Amino acid sequence: MSDTKQVPTAPAAPTTETAPVRQRDAYFDNAKFLAITLVVLGHVWGQFYKHDEYIRAAYTFVYAFHMPLFVFTTGYFSRSFSRSTDKVRTLIGQVVAPYVIFVLLYRAETWWIKGVPFDLNTAFQPHFLMWFLLALLGWRLAAPLWPHLRHPFAVAVAVALVAGSSRVMLDGTTGRMMTLLPFFVLGLTIRPERLAVLRRPAARWYGAAVLAVGLGGALVVAHRFHRHPFDMRWLWWTDGYQTMHVAPLTGMAVRSGMILVGLVLAAAFLAVVPRGRTWFTWLGTGTMYVFLLHGLILKAFDYLGLLTARALVTPIGIVALTLLSVAATIVLATEPVRRATRWAIEPNVSWLLRRSDDR
């Protein structure tokens, strides 16, 4: 998601001529744009899922797989971090600097709108979406380890399941980093040819059928929510078993099921993604812009009380807000927005780094 590097279509051969320009894979750019759209919609619907059964179903359906999908694609586009230690240098500009900038922007927002005084003791603690950048930093720093294991995905699943009963889950950022680890590791280590099966024509029909079944299941959960409530924290990947008042073995069983559901639905989603270039293909190269910027906008609306307006808690209001959210996703990925905000999302930190030949 967060890496917009170009994907080679074939290994580069040694040559004395100018290397050809590498072509992007439109399929993955399409997937990244659609995935970030689900992320934005999920955050918006999260404001209303308690008020409307159908929004609750849509929210449950999206949250069952949108973060697994998001993290999987992040892992897939982090493969270069497992092959080259020099790539770690880019984490300063891609992760660390944006984290510092946006954490301060969030603090400025709470001060400006809500009047919360600036506290240096908590200034750099992750706020709202900032957990992802810290988790991404940890995942990518550990990336060189996973290809050396015989069964990296199985080990990552074991880590996620055991972490649920440990004290690391007391911190939401560390908890998510551990529980979502299997999806990152799978994206990091899976062979590209194994994903080819999802791009076959027949896979689209199977994927659509699986997504339909998943949506049907979400409707059942939403309909039974008040009589048989489902703990949404399983979909947020944040809490430990003790916090959710379940025994460790029960918690491991449920979390295993959530990992399986996330994998199946994410695979089904990838199966229905358009293969060729579309009108939104290029927008898929700017998903980090959408991710970071939409959080500031959503929180501003929340602090101003605009998301609790009565007009929005109606079918027409929710539909209108959904359409506006999709439109905002498109706008935030456009070139004018990227140019205006590149200083914060892709800051130039070359002045902080040694030149490679000086080391």
Side-chain angles (χ1 to χ4, degrees):
M1 183 283 305
S2 60
D3 193 336
T4 58
K5 73 180 184 66
Q6 295 176 327
V7 179
T9 56
T15 177
T16 57
E17 299 177 0
T18 303
V21 176
R22 294 178 176 181
Q23 298 297 316
R24 296 191 65 92
D25 190 333
Y27 170 75
F28 282 107
D29 284 335
N30 293 339
K32 287 161 64 180
F33 174 76
L34 294 174
I36 195 62
T37 301
L38 291 181
V39 170
V40 175
L41 289 176
H43 287 147
V44 172
W45 290 340
Q47 309 293 320
F48 305 99
Y49 77 89
K50 295 181 180 179
H51 304 292
D52 183 89
E53 181 176 313
Y54 293 104
I55 287 297
R56 186 157 56 246
Y59 179 81
T60 302
F61 175 65
V62 166
Y63 263 77
F65 73 94
H66 87 302
M67 281 312 300
L69 171 68
F70 198 56
V71 175
F72 171 82
T73 56
T74 299
Y76 190 84
F77 285 94
S78 299
R79 300 163 75 85
S80 58
F81 285 86
S82 64
R83 297 190 294 265
S84 172
T85 55
D86 283 345
K87 189 70 174 175
V88 173
R89 290 163 53 87
T90 65
L91 290 176
I92 302 296
Q94 292 180 357
V95 180
V96 177
Y99 177 83
V100 173
I101 292 170
F102 273 84
V103 161
L104 292 176
L105 287 175
Y106 274 116
R107 298 303 175 191
E109 194 174 52
T110 57
W111 168 76
W112 181 262
I113 300 176
K114 299 187 68 177
V116 177
F118 183 85
D119 184 356
L120 191 60
N121 293 321
T122 60
F124 294 98
Q125 291 181 0
H127 186 70
F128 195 32
L129 305 178
M130 292 299 96
W131 70 267
F132 181 79
L133 289 184
L134 289 183
L136 180 60
L137 179 63
W139 289 332
R140 284 184 167 172
L141 285 174
L145 164 69
W146 297 102
H148 292 286
L149 301 179
R150 287 184 180 272
H151 306 288
F153 177 68
V155 173
V157 170
V159 170
L161 297 182
V162 172
S165 58
S166 70
R167 295 183 62 84
V168 300
M169 298 302 296
L170 297 177
D171 177 74
T173 296
T174 308
R176 284 190 178 107
M177 184 166 62
M178 294 294 103
T179 53
L180 290 166
L181 178 64
F183 305 107
F184 180 85
V185 171
L186 183 62
L188 183 74
T189 58
I190 194 170
R191 295 178 181 176
E193 56 267 24
R194 292 194 174 181
L195 288 177
V197 67
L198 298 177
R199 303 170 75 162
R200 296 175 181 173
R204 182 170 293 168
W205 298 102
Y206 290 118
V210 170
L211 291 177
V213 171
L215 181 57
L219 284 166
V220 172
V221 170
H223 182 67
R224 295 162 55 91
F225 186 78
H226 294 294
R227 287 176 298 168
H228 304 282
F230 174 77
D231 194 332
M232 291 292 184
R233 288 177 293 181
W234 290 112
L235 302 178
W236 299 336
W237 306 91
T238 51
D239 289 67
Y241 310 139
Q242 185 176 4
T243 306
M244 292 189 285
H245 308 293
V246 296
L249 289 180
T250 302
M252 289 181 186
V254 176
R255 184 143 284 154
S256 297
M258 297 310 302
I259 291 173
L260 179 61
V261 169
L263 286 175
V264 171
L265 290 178
F269 180 87
L270 289 173
V272 302
V273 167
R275 279 65 168 155
R277 294 194 62 82
T278 66
W279 63 269
F280 57 81
T281 298
W282 186 81
L283 299 176
T285 66
T287 50
M288 184 58 86
Y289 286 81
V290 179
F291 183 77
L292 293 176
L293 294 173
H294 93 275
L296 285 174
I297 297 171
L298 189 61
K299 277 302 177 184
F301 281 28
D302 183 22
Y303 296 153
L304 291 169
L306 299 178
L307 296 178
T308 57
R310 287 188 177 183
L312 293 180
V313 192
T314 64
I316 294 177
I318 292 173
V319 169
L321 193 59
T322 297
L323 294 176
L324 284 174
S325 300
V326 174
T329 303
I330 295 171
V331 170
L332 292 178
T334 58
E335 183 59 29
V337 173
R338 296 194 210 185
R339 284 199 301 266
T341 59
R342 187 166 285 124
W343 64 271
I345 297 170
E346 295 183 271
N348 183 355
V349 295
S350 58
W351 57 276
L352 274 175
L353 301 174
R354 288 184 178 181
R355 291 171 49 184
S356 298
D357 52 4
D358 288 341
R359 289 179 293 150

